[in-house]
Amino acid sequence: MAKDTYNERNTKRGGKKRANSVRNGRRNSNRNQLKRKSKPSRRLNIKKLFFLVLVLFILIFCIYKVTSSFISKFRSDSSTKTVKTLSAEEIQKQKDNVINIMIDPAKGGNNEGLSTKNLKIPEKDINLNIAKLVSTNLSKYKDVNVILSREYDEDMPVKERAKLAKDNKVDIIVSIRLNAQANGDDANGIDTYYTDPKEKPSIVSDANEEKKDDNSSSDTTKKATATVDESKEEKREELSKKLAIKIQETTISFVKLRDRGVINQNYDILKYAEMPSVIIHAGFITNKSDSAILEDKEKLGYLADGISSGILDFVDTNRSDIKADRINYR
């Protein structure tokens, strides 16, 4: 086999060198390409990191602002509460401004009353349900204080209810009961009763007592005392009547029942209560249409809303007179 000549070997070596040079060039080119490709990815990661840091900073700043605002507000409220202390006189004024109201659901216990036409719900339960709804409505307001003469199925004599009101320094009594027709079922509607204070046996004028105990007092003194007592009685009659009118008007506007008006009659708890008092007959339990309303929970709520609204309207309009009238029974 013939050997390559010197030139041929050099030629081959040059070719190999060129081939190696080409391969090395390609490798270097590939490396450069990889380097160029890797650089943008580094930039992208830095941008993401910067963005995340920025978002985190903004989030921390917002939390700080909200927290600092809440803390400053809390401190401000606390400092206000601490600084604003009421004197004994101011506290007493606030107490005196509160009107005490007793809601009196009639019947109870063995004294069930009559029952509704369809569902046979006894009167004692309907009275209590209405009273509780009225109490809930009134209890939302700070300027009134509400008690119930009974909260459960129990009967209490009328005189004891009146005594309960006096013991609790009640300013207003609203007694809730139902009406009934003895022979028939056509009578229907709502009426509200109040009593002229002159007819109440518990209210005896000081003038009459003085006639018994002190025969030596002058006619002038007797006349002056009688005049004062009459003015008190007139004021008390006016308040009870105003309360009755207001409750009657608002209740009729809340529920579709016949308006039977306001009636002056010496009746039930009205005979013994010494403060402005009314009885509302919230429909005839013996009447089919009235009975259907009394069996409907939603309509019973409207009925209670009307009574509550009447009481609140009366209190707002006559607060000063109610407070002045306390001297007659406290």
Side-chain angles (χ1 to χ4, degrees):
M1 184 174 181
K3 294 182 178 179
D4 292 336
T5 62
Y6 176 81
N7 292 331
E8 286 174 343
R9 283 196 298 273
N10 287 337
T11 302
K12 287 179 179 180
R13 287 194 191 101
K16 287 179 180 180
K17 286 180 180 178
R18 283 193 297 273
N20 289 333
S21 176
V22 170
R23 281 195 296 272
N24 290 333
R26 286 176 180 172
R27 288 193 190 102
N28 291 334
S29 176
N30 289 336
R31 287 195 188 102
N32 291 333
Q33 287 177 0
L34 289 172
K35 287 179 181 178
R36 284 195 295 271
K37 288 180 180 177
S38 64
K39 284 179 182 177
S41 65
R42 287 196 192 101
R43 290 195 192 98
L44 184 61
N45 289 336
I46 291 170
K47 287 181 179 178
K48 284 183 178 179
L49 183 61
F50 176 78
F51 178 76
L52 288 173
V53 171
L54 181 63
V55 170
L56 185 61
F57 175 79
I58 293 171
L59 184 62
I60 293 171
F61 179 77
C62 290
I63 292 171
Y64 168 76
K65 291 295 287 182
V66 171
T67 306
S68 61
S69 174
F70 175 79
I71 291 171
S72 63
K73 185 179 179 182
F74 177 79
R75 285 176 178 171
S76 175
D77 291 342
S78 299
S79 62
T80 303
K81 288 177 183 177
T82 305
V83 173
K84 191 178 180 181
T85 54
L86 297 175
S87 65
E89 186 179 350
E90 288 173 327
I91 292 171
Q92 189 59 45
K93 270 187 177 181
Q94 287 186 353
K95 287 182 179 179
D96 291 341
N97 198 49
V98 174
I99 303 301
N100 297 322
I101 303 168
M102 186 173 88
I103 307 299
D104 173 46
K107 310 292 184 182
N110 294 327
N111 186 12
E112 295 188 352
L114 299 177
S115 298
T116 57
K117 291 285 187 180
N118 297 320
L119 301 180
K120 305 301 178 184
I121 304 172
E123 180 187 350
K124 64 175 184 177
D125 292 344
I126 296 173
N127 294 339
L128 184 58
N129 289 338
I130 296 172
K132 285 183 174 180
L133 290 170
V134 172
S135 176
T136 300
N137 290 342
L138 297 178
S139 297
K140 296 174 184 177
Y141 302 92
K142 294 180 180 179
D143 59 344
V144 296
N145 177 53
V146 189
I147 69 166
L148 290 168
S149 62
R150 69 176 180 98
E151 297 185 48
Y152 308 101
D153 184 16
E154 57 184 347
D155 191 17
M156 183 186 293
V158 176
K159 286 185 179 180
E160 284 188 23
R161 296 178 192 232
K163 185 178 182 301
L164 178 67
K166 187 174 178 66
D167 291 345
N168 284 274
K169 297 183 177 180
V170 166
D171 297 306
I172 297 169
I173 295 177
V174 177
S175 186
I176 296 170
R177 58 190 305 142
L178 303 178
N179 220 331
Q181 187 177 6
N183 300 311
D185 58 3
D186 57 324
N188 65 326
I190 295 176
D191 49 40
T192 307
Y193 284 65
Y194 72 97
T195 301
D196 186 333
K198 295 172 187 175
E199 299 174 13
K200 295 186 180 184
S202 61
I203 301 173
V204 181
S205 70
D206 293 334
N208 291 334
E209 291 296 324
E210 286 183 6
K211 286 177 183 177
K212 295 177 183 177
D213 300 334
D214 186 10
N215 294 325
S216 62
S217 59
S218 66
D219 292 338
T220 306
T221 305
K222 290 180 181 179
K223 287 179 182 179
T225 305
T227 304
V228 171
D229 292 330
E230 286 173 6
S231 66
K232 286 182 181 179
E233 289 174 349
E234 287 173 4
K235 175 61 70 175
R236 302 201 62 214
E237 177 186 357
E238 182 184 349
L239 286 173
S240 293
K241 187 175 182 179
K242 281 183 176 181
L243 176 60
I245 291 171
K246 187 58 71 174
I247 289 176
Q248 182 73 14
E249 288 177 349
T250 54
T251 306
I252 291 300
S253 69
F254 272 77
V255 64
K256 290 183 178 179
L257 284 167
R258 179 189 167 199
D259 183 359
R260 295 174 61 89
V262 169
I263 301 167
N264 176 17
Q265 187 171 325
N266 196 21
Y267 170 57
D268 199 74
I269 196 172
L270 301 181
K271 292 193 296 183
Y272 307 106
E274 297 182 32
M275 59 286 298
S277 310
V278 299
I279 295 174
I280 177 167
H281 291 105
F284 274 76
I285 199 167
T286 51
N287 180 266
K288 187 176 181 180
S289 59
D290 284 11
S291 185
I293 290 173
L294 298 171
E295 291 174 334
D296 189 315
K297 287 184 179 179
E298 184 179 10
K299 291 177 181 176
L300 208 65
Y302 295 151
L303 191 60
D305 290 345
I307 296 170
S308 307
S309 180
I311 295 171
L312 291 171
D313 285 352
F314 170 77
V315 168
D316 289 341
T317 309
N318 301 277
R319 187 180 298 273
S320 59
D321 288 338
I322 296 168
K323 289 161 62 178
D325 188 50
R326 286 171 177 166
I327 193 173
N328 295 305
Y329 51 85
R330 283 196 182 182

